Amino acid sequence: MQLLDRDSNAFLYQQVIDFVEHQYQQGLLKPGDKLPSLRKLSQQFGISVPTVKQAYIELERRGQVQARPQSGYYVKAASAKKLLPMRNKWASTNPVEVNCRSLIEQVYDAIHMPNTVSLGISNPISAQAPDKTLARLMRKVLSQVSAKAVSYGPVNGDQKLRMQVAYRYQEQGVKVNYEDIVITCGAQEAISIALQCVAKKGDVIAIESPCYFGIIELIETLGMKAVEIYTCPEQGICLEELEQSINEHQIKACVFSTAINNPLGSKMPDEKRAQLVKLIERYQVPLIEDDVYGELYFSGERPKPAQLFSQQGLVMTCSSFSKTAAPGYRVGYLLPGIFEEQAKRIKRAHSCSTAMLPQWTLTEYVLSGDYDRHLLTLRKKLMYNCERMRCAIGQYFPKDVCISQPQGGSVLWVRCSSKINTSDFFHQAIEAGVSFAPGMIFSPSGKYHNYMRLSYGVVWDDHIEQAIKTLGDIVHLHYQKYQLI
């Protein structure tokens, strides 16, 4: 490419802008790719670092690149229409009986269908699986533990693993003793135990809206009711609406994913998370924090756990290694706050203990430093996939479709025209070889009929690109049915 003459009247930074745009047009830079460092382009073009930064800021203003604090500048999906907050269209809801099991079962069934690209289930590690490292560590552990591998373990889990979990939260400033932590069979059991510590059948639980359907189904199974709280795609839970619901209903607990929401990908600012904890403790309402995506943030620092801000111990933190290392190991954990004794009693009644061999393997994984190195690589891969998928949706779906811009995690929340019901073409998509999660299962009251959730926790290749195109073609057909195109 012929660069501008440095003696021309054009701004020097225009050289950088032209270079980046040319690279994008030629396919040498793709959505999700990281731009060259400021220093590298400064040396390449013989201009100052501030001048290169000025060019990147201009590209950011145009919506072509995105700055990620402490990470750099990344190419954005230029054709993707961003999903914006819509609180003015929100209508507060009363507590409802939950009944969405049938459609959720169909979403899970689609995971294992042959010749189907599964985009309906969030499985981040599919993008960068550490299976070989974990297999090596498990062989090492087996050679050491022998007969102990088939014995019962302690009710609250392996001591060394609990210590490693405690250290990671202590690094965030959370005052937690490893003896208080309960190792569980995944985060779902941790949330179930936490709910049963503070609520019973018929009680009202506040949830995010939209909310991960696994939590909705769990509330249904426990015979509890759910009240939805508006959740902003950028800032998370609306605290004003939460306080209003607490005053209007006898809410027994809140279940929120404040670090990285599923399906929105929103990340509540730490200051707002502190306000949330202050609010629930003022009303003596326990908060169950679903922290499974806390390590999968895209920029800046890891979101501070809500438990850090608790003064009364009313926050229980639930998480697991399922989204970051090995979903098949089913190893989660619960930081129970003041509910330690109840949590351990319920764990003992539920499953007695969690399998020890996966716990020992994960302990070795964390201690070796491989886990943190893996997380660094995984976050970069997910950032890249996110922009690639946003770009593909923008290219193949109708132009009025809006897409979330996640700040972490592994899923996109996609809004179609209000006349569209994504459940109507769920089976049609499966027959065409691609599955997704219809929006209705993310609301106990049936909201989000025109939404869908798609997972970018994949190994990106031509099959994924084609699956997005196939799904886009199906959406186009339904737009034509309602004469929206």
Side-chain angles (χ1 to χ4, degrees), residues 268-394:
M268 180 182 282
D270 289 343
E271 307 78 42
K272 188 175 179 182
R273 194 175 294 107
Q275 294 171 16
L276 166 64
V277 175
K278 186 176 181 180
L279 172 65
I280 62 102
E281 292 198 333
R282 184 165 78 247
Y283 286 97
Q284 293 293 289
V285 177
L287 169 62
I288 299 169
E289 177 184 26
D290 181 3
D291 195 36
V292 292
Y293 293 99
E295 297 277 14
L296 299 182
Y297 57 96
F298 285 169
S299 62
E301 298 179 344
R302 188 199 194 285
K304 298 294 183 184
Q307 195 161 129
L308 171 66
F309 306 106
S310 177
Q311 300 295 316
Q312 301 175 25
L314 290 178
V315 178
M316 290 178 274
T317 301
C318 305
S319 191
S320 77
F321 291 94
S322 295
K323 303 302 182 185
T324 57
Y329 282 15
R330 309 309 304 139
V331 175
Y333 49 87
L334 170 63
L335 280 62
I338 61 172
F339 305 100
E340 176 192 349
E341 292 306 317
Q342 297 100 306
K344 290 178 180 178
R345 184 178 68 250
I346 295 170
K347 167 63 181 178
R348 186 169 59 248
H350 267 211
S351 54
C352 185
S353 63
T354 302
M356 294 303 294
L357 184 56
Q359 292 186 61
W360 291 326
T361 303
L362 288 169
T363 299
E364 291 293 323
Y365 191 39
V366 175
L367 282 169
S368 69
D370 286 336
Y371 180 55
D372 283 309
R373 286 188 286 273
H374 160 71
L375 285 175
L376 184 61
T377 304
L378 179 60
R379 286 195 290 264
K380 290 179 180 178
K381 185 72 71 174
L382 290 172
M383 278 195 294
Y384 172 80
N385 286 356
C386 177
E387 289 305 315
R388 287 301 302 273
M389 188 170 282
R390 294 185 79 247
C391 182
I393 294 170

Side-chain angles (χ1 to χ4, degrees), residues 120-305:
I121 294 296
S122 175
N123 187 17
I125 69 153
S126 291
Q128 188 73 29
D131 50 325
K132 293 181 180 178
T133 301
L134 289 172
R136 172 177 54 80
L137 290 173
M138 184 171 282
R139 288 193 297 269
K140 174 186 174 183
V141 168
L142 272 171
S143 68
Q144 296 172 342
V145 298
S146 124
K148 292 183 180 179
V150 294
S151 300
Y152 286 112
V155 170
N156 56 335
D158 178 60
Q159 177 178 317
K160 288 186 177 180
L161 182 58
R162 287 184 283 121
M163 290 177 69
Q164 292 307 309
V165 170
Y167 291 155
R168 297 182 77 82
Y169 279 93
Q170 287 166 3
E171 287 174 353
Q172 297 294 311
V174 179
K175 295 179 181 178
V176 57
N177 190 319
Y178 77 90
E179 293 180 343
D180 300 338
I181 295 173
V182 179
I183 301 297
T184 61
C185 300
Q188 195 77 345
E189 186 186 46
I191 296 171
S192 176
I193 291 171
L195 275 169
Q196 292 173 80
C197 284
V198 295
K200 62 184 184 303
K201 184 176 181 179
D203 284 343
V204 178
I205 309 300
I207 62 172
E208 294 160 306
S209 189
C211 175
Y212 165 53
F213 54 79
I215 291 174
I216 296 174
E217 186 176 32
L218 177 58
I219 290 172
E220 176 187 359
T221 301
L222 294 174
M224 300 173 185
K225 298 179 181 180
V227 61
E228 300 175 70
I229 310 297
Y230 170 74
T231 306
C232 171
E234 297 174 349
Q235 296 283 313
I237 281 289
C238 174
L239 299 185
E240 294 82 2
E241 186 159 311
L242 173 60
E243 184 168 18
Q244 179 181 339
S245 291
I246 290 174
N247 285 319
E248 291 179 356
H249 312 295
Q250 291 186 327
I251 293 176
K252 289 294 184 179
C254 304
V255 182
F256 298 150
S257 304
T258 65
I260 302 294
N261 168 277
N262 172 14
L264 289 171
S266 58
K267 182 172 72 171
M268 180 182 282
D270 289 343
E271 307 78 42
K272 188 175 179 182
R273 194 175 294 107
Q275 294 171 16
L276 166 64
V277 175
K278 186 176 181 180
L279 172 65
I280 62 102
E281 292 198 333
R282 184 165 78 247
Y283 286 97
Q284 293 293 289
V285 177
L287 169 62
I288 299 169
E289 177 184 26
D290 181 3
D291 195 36
V292 292
Y293 293 99
E295 297 277 14
L296 299 182
Y297 57 96
F298 285 169
S299 62
E301 298 179 344
R302 188 199 194 285
K304 298 294 183 184

